[in-house]
Amino acid sequence: LLFIISKIVLAEELTSQSYPVQMTTTSIGDGFWVGLFVKEDLLLGLQFTNHSTNFTRYENYEHSISQQSQVVLIFNRWNPSREMSLFLQSGIAHRKQQENTVFRRDRYQGDTLVAYGRFGSVKVVWPKWAANLGIGWHWRSDLGFSGGIGYGLLWSEHPKMTTDSSYDWLVTEAEDKFFQKQQEKTREKLNQLAFLPLYSASFGWTF
């Protein structure tokens, strides 16, 4: 009798795993998401991610790049086959996302560095709202440990570009041509930047 009762209790516990809580890392930031299995093959979720970084790269001149992203994603996942762990995802995202690139150069008198400053910047700001479509794979153990991987897109209107041509000292002709070229390169990419790839991996627990 005890054996039968324990089997019944265990089965109820396994079927009651309806609330996943996951740590996640994505191509636009790290954070977490929580969800609810409203049906065995349908999950509703809410995800929060954040990203902020500063780095420098060189291409003729120094590029000081600042990236910031805060995204809240409301999504649903549908499992088209209960025999597989594949899921299809759709959702809507609210975000604050931007990238600012400041161009800098050194100034020398002979071999002596006497100054260091900017000669312009290009800023890209993404729209606040975006649609999400994706596909992925998830798994859940009998004990509740769970995780998954996914790939998708955040799709919106193309981002806006603004420029700031302020400088710390007189700009040379070569620097002005370089700055104009960087503006053109960014402007040409705006339509592509409306489609952001979204890679993700997550792990956690399903209660």
Side-chain angles (χ1 to χ4, degrees), residues 5-191:
I5 293 174
S6 64
K7 284 290 187 180
I8 294 174
V9 171
L10 179 59
E12 290 178 349
E13 289 179 352
L14 295 180
T15 56
S16 66
Q17 293 178 0
S18 302
Y19 305 97
V21 178
Q22 304 276 297
M23 302 297 293
T24 187
T25 180
T26 76
S27 52
I28 58 171
D30 301 324
F32 69 95
W33 65 265
V34 296
L36 168 65
F37 281 97
V38 294
K39 293 183 179 180
E40 187 176 351
D41 59 353
L42 182 62
L43 168 73
L44 301 181
L46 181 63
Q47 177 174 286
F48 302 86
T49 57
N50 183 71
H51 173 74
S52 180
T53 188
N54 297 280
F55 61 96
T56 301
R57 66 179 178 87
Y58 292 87
E59 181 187 337
N60 298 329
Y61 301 95
E62 180 180 296
H63 298 48
S64 297
I65 302 172
S66 172
Q67 296 177 337
Q68 294 181 335
S69 173
Q70 293 179 331
V71 181
V72 178
L73 174 65
I74 301 173
F75 64 90
N76 67 78
R77 290 180 177 178
W78 173 58
N79 186 346
S81 173
R82 296 182 181 180
E83 298 178 357
M84 300 176 60
S85 297
L86 180 74
F87 67 80
L88 303 177
Q89 177 172 309
S90 62
I92 186 169
H94 182 269
R95 62 183 175 179
K96 296 179 181 179
Q97 185 172 357
Q98 65 180 36
E99 178 177 288
N100 190 35
T101 303
V102 180
F103 306 102
R104 304 181 187 276
R105 70 174 172 94
D106 300 333
R107 183 183 181 189
Y108 288 87
Q109 288 183 351
D111 295 332
T112 305
L113 178 64
V114 296
Y116 176 78
R118 55 174 288 152
F119 63 90
S121 66
V122 175
K123 185 177 183 179
V124 176
V125 179
W126 277 261
K128 290 184 177 180
W129 295 98
N132 169 239
L133 293 173
I135 189 170
W137 176 86
H138 63 186
W139 58 270
R140 176 175 45 172
S141 73
D142 291 343
L143 297 177
F145 186 66
S146 55
I149 56 174
Y151 172 77
L153 293 173
L154 283 180
W155 171 58
S156 66
E157 296 182 348
H158 65 76
K160 305 296 184 183
M161 183 189 80
T162 58
T163 62
D164 182 355
S165 57
S166 61
Y167 52 87
D168 293 337
W169 57 76
L170 187 63
V171 177
T172 67
E173 182 179 352
E175 292 164 353
D176 183 61
K177 288 183 177 179
F178 180 82
F179 183 44
Q180 296 298 326
K181 183 179 179 180
Q182 297 306 307
Q183 294 180 59
E184 293 174 4
K185 288 174 62 177
T186 303
R187 192 175 293 111
E188 292 172 356
K189 293 192 303 182
L190 291 179
N191 287 333

